[in-house]
């Protein structure tokens, strides 16, 4: 069969180019340690930013929800799946984000594709999207009927020029990540909002990697810049700092009501399980009552950054717990990651198409559950390996 032959050829080519992806099974001992074939590894590749996946209150809430509501929802939210935990969590998210309302989706990916395709729904609309936006934003733009214009990463002069000169007889949308997942930098949201107000733009920010990480109390990029009430729609996820699964949109009641009726990824999905929502709700309550966790996370990330930069490790400019180490080729990045794996340290080797050719990297993530000893151990292994691979000079440290 021709298609199967093509698939086989593509897989062989991907393997030769060191970009073939495979699944690996992890048995979590705690938020930052996993067992693989009975061997214990230190994990620095998780987006569990606050380390709450194993928190007793989060686990207890999930277990209690199963006892009360059962294991599954049994239908979409517009049929039989809208159990009481949904309304409670959406109310809490809206209060947390300081918006009128919120709507939960089944994942952050589904939040983006459903929201963007529902809102940017005419050929008269124009989407202005950052060049380094997440794949879920890119796919949302592809599904939308609007024209999509890509602006250079965080280049506000270029964005201003495009807003001024690209004809638009409908609605202008400016869409950006709050924190960029592969670089760790923060969007220039204050300047984006200024341009949106100047050119009547509708701002959508995806705070998947910002919620629980930046801004007052971990409220995300709008709070980071003091823009509460000026961002049209804030998207996010329950699967990273909030230690569960799912996504959300937070904004005006008008927009949320519209998404309930028009966002296809919301309408045609079976509702999340009660345990999933209960875990996210418990994690959010911990964040609300213990906001110091956000600052502690930033301090731990700073320790790792300082140790790596002092040694001359090619760390990209990151303002968050996402630490990208620029390597170059996909094969070099895989080789580096495999050497660390042999030392029982797990990091992610990020390769094309996730990042451009020639910019393959290691992506480290620091979490609230990492100890200073964990950070010191990991930095020593990374520096030692970088020296062995010729990426860092021995005397640079």
């Amino acid at each position: 069969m021709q298609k199967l032959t093509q698939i086989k050829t593509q897989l062989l080519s991907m393997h030769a180019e060191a970009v073939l992806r495979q699944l690996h099974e992890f048995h979590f001992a705690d938020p930052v340690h996993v067992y693989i074939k009975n061997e214990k590894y230190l994990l620095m590749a998780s987006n569990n930013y606050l380390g709450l996946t194993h928190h007793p209150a989060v686990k207890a809430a999930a277990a209690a929800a199963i006892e009360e509501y059962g294991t599954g929802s049994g239908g979409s939210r517009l049929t039989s799946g809208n159990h009481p935990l949904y309304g409670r969590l959406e109310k809490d998210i809206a209060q947390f984000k300081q918006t009128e309302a919120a709507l939960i989706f089944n994942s952050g990916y589904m939040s983006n594709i459903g929201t963007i395709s529902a809102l940017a729904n005419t050929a008269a609309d124009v989407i202005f999207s950052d060049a380094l936006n997440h794949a879920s934003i890119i796919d949302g733009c592809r599904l939308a009927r609007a024209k999509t214009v890509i602006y250079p990463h965080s280049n506000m002069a270029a964005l201003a020029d495009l807003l001024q000169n690209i004809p638009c007889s409908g609605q202008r949308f400016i869409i950006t990540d709050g924190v960029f997942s592969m670089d760790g930098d923060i969007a220039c949201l204050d300047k984006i909002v200024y341009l949106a107000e100047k050119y009547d733009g509708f701002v959508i920010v995806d705070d998947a990697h910002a919620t629980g990480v930046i801004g007052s109390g971990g409220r995300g990029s709008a709070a980071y810049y003091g823009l509460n009430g000026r961002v049209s729609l804030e998207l996010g996820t329950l699967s990273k700092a909030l230690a569960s699964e799912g996504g959300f949109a937070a904004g005006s009641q008008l927009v949320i009501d519209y998404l309930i009726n028009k966002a296809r990824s919301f309408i045609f999905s079976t509702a999340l399980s009660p345990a999933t929502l209960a875990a996210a709700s418990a994690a959010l309550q911990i964040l609300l009552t213990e906001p110091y966790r956000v600052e502690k996370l930033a301090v731990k990330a700073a320790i790792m950054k300082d140790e790596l930069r002092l040694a001359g490790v090619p760390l990209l400019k990151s303002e968050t717990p996402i630490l990208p180490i620029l390597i170059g080729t996909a094969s070099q990045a895989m080789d580096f990651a495999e050497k660390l794996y042999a030392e029982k340290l797990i990091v992610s080797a990020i390769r094309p198409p996730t990042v451009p050719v020639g910019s393959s990297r290691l992506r480290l993530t620091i979490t609230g559950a990492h100890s200073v000893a964990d950070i010191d151990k990991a930095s020593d292994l990374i520096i030692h390996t970088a020296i062995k691979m010729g990426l860092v000079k021995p005397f640079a440290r």
Side-chain angles (χ1 to χ4, degrees):
M1 189 180 294
Q2 183 180 11
K3 176 53 66 176
L4 294 181
T5 300
Q6 292 173 351
I7 290 171
K8 184 177 181 180
T9 300
Q10 289 176 18
L11 289 173
L12 290 171
S13 175
M14 292 167 69
H15 184 271
E17 295 169 8
V19 294
L20 183 68
R21 286 155 172 77
Q22 296 174 300
L23 296 173
H24 301 279
E25 187 174 285
F26 295 162
H27 182 161
F28 278 84
D30 57 47
V32 295
H33 294 95
V34 298
Y35 283 103
I36 302 173
K37 296 179 180 178
N38 296 319
E39 296 284 343
K40 193 174 185 180
Y41 291 75
L42 174 61
L43 180 67
M44 286 201 159
S46 167
N47 294 324
N48 180 20
Y49 291 119
L50 298 178
L52 295 177
T53 53
H54 289 63
H55 192 287
V58 175
K59 294 195 294 182
I66 290 174
E67 282 297 314
E68 184 170 359
Y69 300 106
T71 58
S73 63
S76 73
R77 289 188 67 191
L78 293 175
T79 58
S80 62
N82 192 35
H83 49 80
L85 295 178
Y86 263 112
R88 297 175 200 168
L89 182 53
E90 286 170 341
K91 180 180 178 181
D92 288 345
I93 289 171
Q95 290 179 346
F96 175 68
K97 284 290 190 175
Q98 299 179 356
T99 61
E100 289 181 358
L103 183 67
I104 293 171
F105 289 75
N106 280 24
S107 69
Y109 184 96
M110 294 175 77
S111 300
N112 274 325
I113 63 171
T115 296
I116 296 168
S117 62
L119 291 171
N121 62 349
T122 76
D125 299 333
V126 179
I127 297 169
F128 298 86
S129 180
D130 189 284
L132 295 189
N133 276 341
H134 189 264
S136 58
I137 294 177
I138 295 170
D139 289 352
C141 293
R142 289 170 176 168
L143 289 171
R145 292 187 176 92
K147 175 182 179 179
T148 298
V149 176
I150 309 299
Y151 64 89
H153 178 51
S154 289
N155 187 327
M156 294 298 100
L159 175 59
D161 183 66
L162 291 169
L163 287 165
Q164 182 175 7
N165 293 300
I166 297 292
C168 178
S169 58
Q171 178 65 58
R172 295 179 179 87
F173 293 88
I174 307 175
I175 307 179
T176 183
D177 279 326
V179 168
F180 291 90
S181 60
M182 293 300 118
D183 288 58
D185 55 329
I186 301 171
C188 304
L189 193 59
D190 54 341
K191 296 179 177 64
I192 288 172
V193 168
Y194 167 78
L195 290 172
E197 292 172 347
K198 181 177 181 180
Y199 293 99
D200 190 30
F202 187 107
V203 176
I204 301 176
V205 60
D206 178 6
D207 264 353
H209 295 271
T211 301
V213 175
I214 64 171
S216 174
R219 285 177 169 80
S221 53
Y224 179 83
Y225 285 107
L227 297 171
N228 293 329
R230 296 173 65 190
V231 175
S232 308
L233 196 64
E234 298 179 52
L235 306 183
T237 180
L238 309 177
S239 65
K240 296 177 173 62
L242 296 182
S244 187
E245 297 170 0
F248 65 82
S252 69
Q253 187 67 60
L254 180 69
V255 170
I256 297 304
D257 288 344
Y258 181 80
L259 293 177
I260 290 171
N261 287 275
K262 291 293 185 178
R264 293 173 65 84
S265 62
F266 169 81
I267 296 168
F268 298 107
S269 292
T270 295
L272 292 169
S273 72
T276 298
L277 294 170
S281 183
L284 179 56
Q285 292 306 312
I286 292 169
L287 177 56
L288 288 168
T289 56
E290 301 174 8
Y292 64 83
R293 290 176 179 269
V294 178
E295 181 59 32
K296 287 182 69 175
L297 175 61
V299 169
K300 289 179 180 180
I303 292 171
M304 175 65 100
K305 291 174 191 176
D306 289 345
E307 291 182 1
L308 295 179
R309 285 177 176 145
L310 184 63
V313 173
L315 187 66
L316 296 181
K317 184 181 179 182
S318 168
E319 305 164 86
T320 62
I322 300 168
L323 280 65
I325 299 173
L326 187 62
I327 304 299
T329 68
S331 59
Q332 285 176 314
M334 284 298 296
D335 186 33
F336 202 139
E338 287 167 1
K339 284 180 167 59
L340 294 176
Y341 183 84
E343 298 292 336
K344 295 186 170 53
L345 173 63
I346 297 174
V347 302
S348 297
I350 307 298
R351 300 153 287 161
T354 306
V355 293
V357 173
S359 68
S360 291
R361 65 201 61 184
L362 298 185
R363 180 184 184 272
L364 284 68
T365 47
I366 307 301
T367 77
H370 283 115
S371 67
V372 174
D374 291 332
I375 292 169
D376 289 342
K377 176 183 177 181
S379 65
D380 285 344
L381 287 171
I382 292 166
I383 292 164
H384 179 69
T385 304
I387 291 171
K388 286 174 63 177
M389 293 182 66
L391 298 172
V392 173
K393 296 179 180 179
F395 57 81
R397 195 174 187 188

